[in-house]
Amino acid sequence: MRTWFITGGTPGGFGLAYAEAALARGDQVVVTARRPSELQEWAEKHGDRVQVLPLDVTDPAQVRAAVDAAEERFGGIDVLVNNAGRGWFGSVEGSPDETIRRTFDLNLFGVVDVVRAVLPGMRARGDGWIVNMSSVAGLVGAQGFGYYSAAKFALEGLSETLRQEVEPFGVRVLVVEPGAFRTKAYAGFQSEPVDETVDAYVPMVEGVKAAFVDQDGKQAGDPERGVQAVITAMDAAVPPHRIVLGNSGYDVVVAMHENALAELRANEKRSRSADF
């Protein structure tokens, strides 16, 4: 029986899909959320195998307290799923400073704090999984979500290095890159104002917002099927370093890599000319 520690357990999202899948496998789960009361009724159905904890991952003290409580309750954390995160729309030039900072605090620095809190236990036991929920936007820039993309790009690079550093201790790292999935991630965009400081970008940002609002509830990705794909990747004889989820996301990422490779080869002579 493994113990999972899952951040971002908002109902209707990937967090609870991971929790349900882990419970179905006979494992036990710690689910964290900024509003844990929303999970009370769900948790009661699963008895002692579930622990729900309050956690805002941008608060380092809360991170440490939640990890300590989970380890005290279940003896250790075997699988960490860094799922908490979200984006705010705005241009690169015109996003307010506050929006930029909270984007990185939530999507990058929060992950760093949770990883640092959980890793000592994993290293001591010589085993563990860290699953970092990135995004297709962490591989292909998303117009109007430049800072969300930047934070996810940073998470990709962090995960690559982390994988190399923890592998000798028996800890594995998987990066998950979903495309558009039918979670509640888009639901709040309807009432969120366009807080753009440069007028020239307002039409673009408003168009991005409208597209996301229109897509809410129509996304092709199924979180439960996505989580099953992740688990089969973790169970593989040779687990992948990353997995893209969803047809449209897969196609976008393949096209990006093919175009990048073609451009790289087209400029090979210039690249190789830079050495002494």
Side-chain angles (χ1 to χ4, degrees), residues 33-245:
R34 288 184 295 114
R35 296 178 295 275
S37 60
E38 296 179 352
L39 302 175
Q40 183 175 353
E41 184 177 348
W42 170 84
E44 288 173 352
K45 298 184 296 184
H46 299 287
D48 293 340
R49 287 198 296 143
V50 169
Q51 182 182 31
V52 174
L53 296 172
L55 178 58
D56 176 349
V57 298
T58 67
D59 183 333
Q62 278 196 28
V63 169
R64 184 68 262 174
V67 170
D68 286 346
E71 291 179 333
E72 181 178 354
R73 168 77 174 269
F74 292 120
I77 295 168
D78 303 298
V79 182
L80 165 62
V81 180
N82 280 307
N83 174 65
R86 65 153 293 179
W88 289 271
F89 41 74
S91 72
V92 171
E93 182 182 356
S95 290
D97 289 348
E98 179 187 359
T99 299
I100 298 168
R101 294 185 184 281
R102 66 177 174 173
T103 298
F104 277 87
D105 283 343
L106 176 57
N107 294 287
L108 180 64
F109 297 120
V111 173
V112 170
D113 284 337
V114 177
V115 166
R116 284 176 159 178
V118 170
L119 260 178
M122 289 185 173
R123 283 192 294 101
R125 291 187 301 277
D127 185 55
W129 268 105
I130 296 173
V131 179
N132 286 337
M133 293 297 287
S134 179
S135 169
V136 167
L139 297 171
V140 182
Q143 188 180 46
F145 281 87
Y147 290 104
Y148 177 75
S149 289
K152 292 299 188 181
F153 267 73
L155 179 61
E156 295 274 343
L158 180 79
S159 299
E160 289 295 304
T161 303
L162 178 65
R163 181 183 298 110
Q164 299 171 41
E165 293 178 352
V166 301
E167 185 178 16
F169 304 105
V171 180
R172 289 157 290 184
V173 177
L174 176 65
V175 182
V176 181
E177 295 139 345
F181 271 71
R182 202 169 300 180
T183 68
K184 293 185 177 179
Y186 297 0
F189 288 150
Q190 175 69 61
S191 58
E192 194 165 296
V194 173
D195 192 16
E196 175 64 36
T197 68
V198 178
D199 290 345
Y201 297 107
V202 169
M204 179 273 288
V205 176
E206 288 180 338
V208 168
K209 173 184 175 178
F212 275 81
V213 169
D214 180 67
Q215 195 178 11
D216 184 36
K218 305 173 187 176
Q219 302 97 316
D222 177 350
E224 292 182 3
R225 293 173 68 90
V227 166
Q228 289 303 318
V230 172
I231 290 175
T232 60
M234 295 167 66
D235 289 342
V238 181
H241 289 174
R242 64 192 62 79
I243 181 170
V244 177
L245 299 181

